[in-house]
Amino acid sequence: MVDKNEIGAKIKNLRESQEIKKEELSKETNVSLDLINSIENGDVVPSLTPITKIAKALGVRLGTFLDDAPQNGPLIVKNGETNSVVYFSGEENQTDVSALEFHSLGAGKNDRYMEPFIIDVHTEDGEFNLSSHEGEEFIYVLEGEIEVKYGQDSFIVSKGDSIYYDSIIPHHLHSYNGEVSKILAVVYSPF
């Protein structure tokens, strides 16, 4: 399992090895300096959006923060069982609790451009802040229903349905009616 401390340490090491100051990274990514400090210190459960922005600014793929032991050949995950789980909040402004459990299906695959995940979605009903980052996302609902807010639109996506969108448009994905859901997500983020 990759935890928030490991992600923060990897970001800090990369940033320092490139001699980039936190203030520069904040300006480049439009991620607050306070949030960068909190992520690097392992104090928060970040959402995917700031991590994606930080990866792009550092010139690395998103998977760089999720991998432990890269391999060059094919990667096989049996029965969707993976030991690589990353917890994200689902909200840029909510950093104290995880609402999304990302089970990486690609962790360890060298030089990948797509990030495939099985994600357990357990968000509460309420107001959600939309966020954006470069790339694309493909979502296939395995269990339950999710709501995807995309720009001014809202889509209910049920078991067996999929949605594919440009993630540069402000968006948010969460459980529909507070129901626990499970999705297959493939995230492409150029770097």
Side-chain angles (χ1 to χ4, degrees), residues 4 31-32 34-36 38-39 42-48 50 87-99:
K4 61 187 179 184
V31 173
S32 75
D34 287 342
L35 184 54
I36 289 172
S38 294
I39 291 170
D43 296 334
V44 299
V45 178
S47 75
L48 188 59
Y87 299 92
F88 288 113
S89 71
E91 286 282 330
E92 276 190 83
N93 299 331
Q94 178 186 342
T95 57
D96 57 340
V97 65
S98 172

Side-chain angles (χ1 to χ4, degrees), residues 14-62:
L14 274 167
R15 181 184 57 73
E16 288 177 347
S17 72
Q18 295 179 27
E19 298 180 356
I20 297 172
K21 294 182 178 166
K22 290 180 193 176
E23 294 80 7
E24 295 172 57
L25 185 60
S26 174
K27 185 176 179 183
E28 174 75 19
T29 60
N30 201 25
V31 173
S32 75
L33 183 57
D34 287 342
L35 184 54
I36 289 172
N37 280 323
S38 294
I39 291 170
E40 286 192 1
N41 293 334
D43 296 334
V44 299
V45 178
S47 75
L48 188 59
T49 296
I51 300 300
T52 302
K53 290 177 180 179
I54 290 169
K56 179 166 177 56
L58 294 175
V60 298
R61 59 188 178 73
L62 177 61

Side-chain angles (χ1 to χ4, degrees), residues 28-127:
E28 174 75 19
T29 60
N30 201 25
V31 173
S32 75
L33 183 57
D34 287 342
L35 184 54
I36 289 172
N37 280 323
S38 294
I39 291 170
E40 286 192 1
N41 293 334
D43 296 334
V44 299
V45 178
S47 75
L48 188 59
T49 296
I51 300 300
T52 302
K53 290 177 180 179
I54 290 169
K56 179 166 177 56
L58 294 175
V60 298
R61 59 188 178 73
L62 177 61
T64 301
F65 303 138
L66 309 177
D67 292 348
D68 287 325
Q71 66 180 46
N72 291 321
L75 178 69
I76 298 172
V77 176
K78 299 283 190 173
N79 292 323
E81 301 284 329
T82 177
N83 291 330
S84 182
V85 180
V86 182
Y87 299 92
F88 288 113
S89 71
E91 286 282 330
E92 276 190 83
N93 299 331
Q94 178 186 342
T95 57
D96 57 340
V97 65
S98 172
L100 304 169
E101 295 173 16
F102 284 65
H103 303 264
S104 178
L105 300 176
K109 173 71 176 94
N110 250 355
D111 299 326
R112 67 186 181 274
Y113 294 97
M114 298 182 299
E115 293 295 335
F117 300 101
I118 298 290
I119 303 174
D120 295 323
V121 183
H122 43 88
T123 47
E124 299 294 322
D125 290 334
E127 289 297 313

Side-chain angles (χ1 to χ4, degrees), residues 138-142 145 156-163:
F138 171 81
I139 309 295
Y140 179 84
V141 179
L142 299 167
E145 289 183 307
I156 305 302
V157 188
S158 301
K159 180 179 178 179
D161 297 343
S162 65
I163 185 170

